[in-house]
PDB file of all heavy atoms in Angstrom:
ATOM      1  N   TYR C 193      92.459  46.033  60.221  1.00  0.00           N
ATOM      2  CA  TYR C 193      92.231  45.099  61.325  1.00  0.00           C
ATOM      3  C   TYR C 193      92.475  43.643  60.937  1.00  0.00           C
ATOM      4  O   TYR C 193      91.946  42.755  61.588  1.00  0.00           O
ATOM      5  CB  TYR C 193      90.806  45.239  61.899  1.00  0.00           C
ATOM      6  CG  TYR C 193      90.445  46.661  62.251  1.00  0.00           C
ATOM      7  CD1 TYR C 193      89.290  47.249  61.764  1.00  0.00           C
ATOM      8  CD2 TYR C 193      91.286  47.438  63.048  1.00  0.00           C
ATOM      9  CE1 TYR C 193      88.973  48.564  62.065  1.00  0.00           C
ATOM     10  CE2 TYR C 193      90.981  48.750  63.349  1.00  0.00           C
ATOM     11  CZ  TYR C 193      89.818  49.312  62.846  1.00  0.00           C
ATOM     12  OH  TYR C 193      89.501  50.615  63.139  1.00  0.00           O
ATOM     13  N   CYS C 194      93.302  43.408  59.940  1.00  0.00           N
ATOM     14  CA  CYS C 194      93.548  42.026  59.537  1.00  0.00           C
ATOM     15  C   CYS C 194      94.269  41.242  60.630  1.00  0.00           C
ATOM     16  O   CYS C 194      94.224  40.023  60.656  1.00  0.00           O
ATOM     17  CB  CYS C 194      94.367  41.963  58.254  1.00  0.00           C
ATOM     18  SG  CYS C 194      96.078  42.528  58.424  1.00  0.00           S
ATOM     19  N   GLY C 195      94.970  41.959  61.524  1.00  0.00           N
ATOM     20  CA  GLY C 195      95.601  41.288  62.658  1.00  0.00           C
ATOM     21  C   GLY C 195      96.877  40.535  62.343  1.00  0.00           C
ATOM     22  O   GLY C 195      97.400  39.825  63.209  1.00  0.00           O
ATOM     23  N   GLN C 196      97.406  40.645  61.130  1.00  0.00           N
ATOM     24  CA  GLN C 196      98.654  39.942  60.826  1.00  0.00           C
ATOM     25  C   GLN C 196      99.775  40.414  61.750  1.00  0.00           C
ATOM     26  O   GLN C 196     100.695  39.654  62.079  1.00  0.00           O
ATOM     27  CB  GLN C 196      99.053  40.162  59.362  1.00  0.00           C
ATOM     28  CG  GLN C 196      98.181  39.400  58.373  1.00  0.00           C
ATOM     29  CD  GLN C 196      98.209  37.907  58.620  1.00  0.00           C
ATOM     30  OE1 GLN C 196      99.257  37.278  58.641  1.00  0.00           O
ATOM     31  NE2 GLN C 196      97.047  37.318  58.858  1.00  0.00           N
ATOM     32  N   CYS C 197      99.681  41.656  62.189  1.00  0.00           N
ATOM     33  CA  CYS C 197     100.686  42.181  63.110  1.00  0.00           C
ATOM     34  C   CYS C 197     100.676  41.405  64.423  1.00  0.00           C
ATOM     35  O   CYS C 197     101.733  41.152  65.005  1.00  0.00           O
ATOM     36  CB  CYS C 197     100.451  43.665  63.378  1.00  0.00           C
ATOM     37  SG  CYS C 197      98.752  44.070  63.815  1.00  0.00           S
ATOM     38  N   THR C 198      99.481  40.995  64.871  1.00  0.00           N
ATOM     39  CA  THR C 198      99.429  40.260  66.135  1.00  0.00           C
ATOM     40  C   THR C 198     100.092  38.903  66.010  1.00  0.00           C
ATOM     41  O   THR C 198     100.562  38.343  67.006  1.00  0.00           O
ATOM     42  CB  THR C 198      97.972  40.042  66.627  1.00  0.00           C
ATOM     43  OG1 THR C 198      97.310  39.140  65.739  1.00  0.00           O
ATOM     44  CG2 THR C 198      97.203  41.340  66.685  1.00  0.00           C
ATOM     45  N   LEU C 199     100.144  38.364  64.789  1.00  0.00           N
ATOM     46  CA  LEU C 199     100.758  37.048  64.605  1.00  0.00           C
ATOM     47  C   LEU C 199     102.278  37.113  64.625  1.00  0.00           C
ATOM     48  O   LEU C 199     102.933  36.134  64.987  1.00  0.00           O
ATOM     49  CB  LEU C 199     100.319  36.424  63.268  1.00  0.00           C
ATOM     50  CG  LEU C 199      98.847  36.082  63.109  1.00  0.00           C
ATOM     51  CD1 LEU C 199      98.634  35.390  61.767  1.00  0.00           C
ATOM     52  CD2 LEU C 199      98.365  35.193  64.240  1.00  0.00           C
ATOM     53  N   VAL C 200     102.840  38.241  64.206  1.00  0.00           N
ATOM     54  CA  VAL C 200     104.295  38.298  64.094  1.00  0.00           C
ATOM     55  C   VAL C 200     104.962  38.994  65.276  1.00  0.00           C
ATOM     56  O   VAL C 200     106.169  38.877  65.459  1.00  0.00           O
ATOM     57  CB  VAL C 200     104.747  38.981  62.775  1.00  0.00           C
ATOM     58  CG1 VAL C 200     104.307  38.170  61.586  1.00  0.00           C
ATOM     59  CG2 VAL C 200     104.233  40.398  62.689  1.00  0.00           C
ATOM     60  N   CYS C 201     104.183  39.715  66.089  1.00  0.00           N
ATOM     61  CA  CYS C 201     104.793  40.392  67.229  1.00  0.00           C
ATOM     62  C   CYS C 201     105.299  39.359  68.219  1.00  0.00           C
ATOM     63  O   CYS C 201     104.566  38.466  68.607  1.00  0.00           O
ATOM     64  CB  CYS C 201     103.787  41.314  67.917  1.00  0.00           C
ATOM     65  SG  CYS C 201     104.476  42.193  69.331  1.00  0.00           S
ATOM     66  N   PRO C 202     106.570  39.442  68.619  1.00  0.00           N
ATOM     67  CA  PRO C 202     107.107  38.431  69.525  1.00  0.00           C
ATOM     68  C   PRO C 202     106.681  38.613  70.973  1.00  0.00           C
ATOM     69  O   PRO C 202     106.849  37.697  71.781  1.00  0.00           O
ATOM     70  CB  PRO C 202     108.627  38.608  69.401  1.00  0.00           C
ATOM     71  CG  PRO C 202     108.825  39.976  68.869  1.00  0.00           C
ATOM     72  CD  PRO C 202     107.596  40.397  68.161  1.00  0.00           C
ATOM     73  N   VAL C 203     106.143  39.792  71.283  1.00  0.00           N
ATOM     74  CA  VAL C 203     105.800  40.096  72.683  1.00  0.00           C
ATOM     75  C   VAL C 203     104.366  40.610  72.763  1.00  0.00           C
ATOM     76  O   VAL C 203     103.611  40.516  71.801  1.00  0.00           O
ATOM     77  CB  VAL C 203     106.771  41.160  73.256  1.00  0.00           C
ATOM     78  CG1 VAL C 203     108.192  40.644  73.286  1.00  0.00           C
ATOM     79  CG2 VAL C 203     106.697  42.449  72.472  1.00  0.00           C
ATOM     80  N   GLY C 204     104.018  41.168  73.898  1.00  0.00           N
ATOM     81  CA  GLY C 204     102.642  41.615  74.105  1.00  0.00           C
ATOM     82  C   GLY C 204     102.389  43.061  73.712  1.00  0.00           C
ATOM     83  O   GLY C 204     101.645  43.763  74.385  1.00  0.00           O
ATOM     84  N   ALA C 205     103.003  43.490  72.615  1.00  0.00           N
ATOM     85  CA  ALA C 205     102.823  44.880  72.206  1.00  0.00           C
ATOM     86  C   ALA C 205     101.605  45.076  71.319  1.00  0.00           C
ATOM     87  O   ALA C 205     101.121  46.193  71.163  1.00  0.00           O
ATOM     88  CB  ALA C 205     104.076  45.381  71.474  1.00  0.00           C
ATOM     89  N   ILE C 206     101.120  44.009  70.727  1.00  0.00           N
ATOM     90  CA  ILE C 206      99.951  44.156  69.859  1.00  0.00           C
ATOM     91  C   ILE C 206      99.179  42.836  69.874  1.00  0.00           C
ATOM     92  O   ILE C 206      99.747  41.767  69.684  1.00  0.00           O
ATOM     93  CB  ILE C 206     100.388  44.627  68.445  1.00  0.00           C
ATOM     94  CG1 ILE C 206      99.210  45.078  67.625  1.00  0.00           C
ATOM     95  CG2 ILE C 206     101.184  43.587  67.702  1.00  0.00           C
ATOM     96  CD1 ILE C 206      99.594  46.057  66.542  1.00  0.00           C
ATOM     97  N   TYR C 207      97.903  42.917  70.163  1.00  0.00           N
ATOM     98  CA  TYR C 207      97.094  41.707  70.329  1.00  0.00           C
ATOM     99  C   TYR C 207      95.632  42.079  70.132  1.00  0.00           C
ATOM    100  O   TYR C 207      95.293  43.242  69.969  1.00  0.00           O
ATOM    101  CB  TYR C 207      97.315  41.094  71.721  1.00  0.00           C
ATOM    102  CG  TYR C 207      97.222  42.089  72.848  1.00  0.00           C
ATOM    103  CD1 TYR C 207      96.020  42.316  73.523  1.00  0.00           C
ATOM    104  CD2 TYR C 207      98.349  42.820  73.256  1.00  0.00           C
ATOM    105  CE1 TYR C 207      95.939  43.238  74.549  1.00  0.00           C
ATOM    106  CE2 TYR C 207      98.260  43.752  74.288  1.00  0.00           C
ATOM    107  CZ  TYR C 207      97.064  43.949  74.926  1.00  0.00           C
ATOM    108  OH  TYR C 207      96.978  44.874  75.940  1.00  0.00           O
ATOM    109  N   GLU C 208      94.763  41.064  70.152  1.00  0.00           N
ATOM    110  CA  GLU C 208      93.353  41.355  69.868  1.00  0.00           C
ATOM    111  C   GLU C 208      92.644  41.916  71.106  1.00  0.00           C
ATOM    112  O   GLU C 208      93.039  41.677  72.240  1.00  0.00           O
ATOM    113  CB  GLU C 208      92.623  40.083  69.405  1.00  0.00           C
ATOM    114  CG  GLU C 208      92.398  39.032  70.487  1.00  0.00           C
ATOM    115  CD  GLU C 208      93.576  38.091  70.639  1.00  0.00           C
ATOM    116  OE1 GLU C 208      94.736  38.569  70.603  1.00  0.00           O
ATOM    117  OE2 GLU C 208      93.336  36.894  70.811  1.00  0.00           O
ATOM    118  N   LYS C 209      91.595  42.664  70.826  1.00  0.00           N
ATOM    119  CA  LYS C 209      90.757  43.170  71.915  1.00  0.00           C
ATOM    120  C   LYS C 209      89.973  41.997  72.461  1.00  0.00           C
ATOM    121  O   LYS C 209      89.464  41.172  71.726  1.00  0.00           O
ATOM    122  CB  LYS C 209      89.787  44.198  71.351  1.00  0.00           C
ATOM    123  CG  LYS C 209      89.140  45.033  72.454  1.00  0.00           C
ATOM    124  CD  LYS C 209      88.690  46.315  71.990  1.00  0.00           C
ATOM    125  CE  LYS C 209      88.743  47.461  72.893  1.00  0.00           C
ATOM    126  NZ  LYS C 209      87.989  48.518  72.248  1.00  0.00           N
ATOM    127  N   SER C 210      89.874  41.907  73.754  1.00  0.00           N
ATOM    128  CA  SER C 210      89.242  40.734  74.339  1.00  0.00           C
ATOM    129  C   SER C 210      87.749  40.908  74.506  1.00  0.00           C
ATOM    130  O   SER C 210      87.280  41.930  75.014  1.00  0.00           O
ATOM    131  CB  SER C 210      89.869  40.444  75.705  1.00  0.00           C
ATOM    132  OG  SER C 210      89.219  39.334  76.285  1.00  0.00           O
ATOM    133  N   ASP C 211      87.010  39.903  74.045  1.00  0.00           N
ATOM    134  CA  ASP C 211      85.556  39.882  74.282  1.00  0.00           C
ATOM    135  C   ASP C 211      85.191  38.771  75.252  1.00  0.00           C
ATOM    136  O   ASP C 211      84.016  38.407  75.388  1.00  0.00           O
ATOM    137  CB  ASP C 211      84.825  39.697  72.936  1.00  0.00           C
ATOM    138  CG  ASP C 211      84.780  40.987  72.135  1.00  0.00           C
ATOM    139  OD1 ASP C 211      84.059  41.906  72.583  1.00  0.00           O
ATOM    140  OD2 ASP C 211      85.467  41.092  71.102  1.00  0.00           O
ATOM    141  N   ILE C 212      86.207  38.205  75.911  1.00  0.00           N
ATOM    142  CA  ILE C 212      85.978  37.060  76.794  1.00  0.00           C
ATOM    143  C   ILE C 212      84.997  37.384  77.914  1.00  0.00           C
ATOM    144  O   ILE C 212      84.059  36.620  78.185  1.00  0.00           O
ATOM    145  CB  ILE C 212      87.314  36.563  77.382  1.00  0.00           C
ATOM    146  CG1 ILE C 212      88.179  35.985  76.265  1.00  0.00           C
ATOM    147  CG2 ILE C 212      87.083  35.520  78.461  1.00  0.00           C
ATOM    148  CD1 ILE C 212      89.540  35.509  76.725  1.00  0.00           C
ATOM    149  N   GLU C 213      85.171  38.538  78.569  1.00  0.00           N
ATOM    150  CA  GLU C 213      84.283  38.856  79.703  1.00  0.00           C
ATOM    151  C   GLU C 213      82.826  38.985  79.266  1.00  0.00           C
ATOM    152  O   GLU C 213      81.925  38.545  79.983  1.00  0.00           O
ATOM    153  CB  GLU C 213      84.745  40.157  80.395  1.00  0.00           C
ATOM    154  CG  GLU C 213      86.049  40.001  81.174  1.00  0.00           C
ATOM    155  CD  GLU C 213      86.031  38.844  82.172  1.00  0.00           C
ATOM    156  OE1 GLU C 213      85.049  38.724  82.937  1.00  0.00           O
ATOM    157  OE2 GLU C 213      86.985  38.055  82.174  1.00  0.00           O
ATOM    158  N   ARG C 214      82.624  39.589  78.095  1.00  0.00           N
ATOM    159  CA  ARG C 214      81.246  39.741  77.598  1.00  0.00           C
ATOM    160  C   ARG C 214      80.616  38.371  77.379  1.00  0.00           C
ATOM    161  O   ARG C 214      79.432  38.157  77.645  1.00  0.00           O
ATOM    162  CB  ARG C 214      81.235  40.528  76.298  1.00  0.00           C
ATOM    163  CG  ARG C 214      81.560  42.006  76.482  1.00  0.00           C
ATOM    164  CD  ARG C 214      81.552  42.764  75.153  1.00  0.00           C
ATOM    165  NE  ARG C 214      80.290  42.587  74.459  1.00  0.00           N
ATOM    166  CZ  ARG C 214      80.165  42.296  73.172  1.00  0.00           C
ATOM    167  NH1 ARG C 214      81.245  42.171  72.418  1.00  0.00           N
ATOM    168  NH2 ARG C 214      78.990  42.160  72.624  1.00  0.00           N
ATOM    169  N   VAL C 215      81.422  37.429  76.886  1.00  0.00           N
ATOM    170  CA  VAL C 215      80.882  36.090  76.636  1.00  0.00           C
ATOM    171  C   VAL C 215      80.614  35.382  77.958  1.00  0.00           C
ATOM    172  O   VAL C 215      79.576  34.732  78.137  1.00  0.00           O
ATOM    173  CB  VAL C 215      81.836  35.279  75.748  1.00  0.00           C
ATOM    174  CG1 VAL C 215      81.338  33.852  75.581  1.00  0.00           C
ATOM    175  CG2 VAL C 215      81.973  35.933  74.387  1.00  0.00           C
TER     176      VAL C 215
END
Side-chain angles (χ1 to χ4, degrees):
Chain C
Y193 308 127
C194 68
Q196 287 301 304
C197 49
T198 68
L199 295 184
V200 296
C201 180
V203 297
I206 193 155
Y207 48 93
E208 71 273 42
K209 195 155 213 191
S210 178
D211 283 291
I212 293 178
E213 289 307 312
R214 289 180 55 226
V215 175

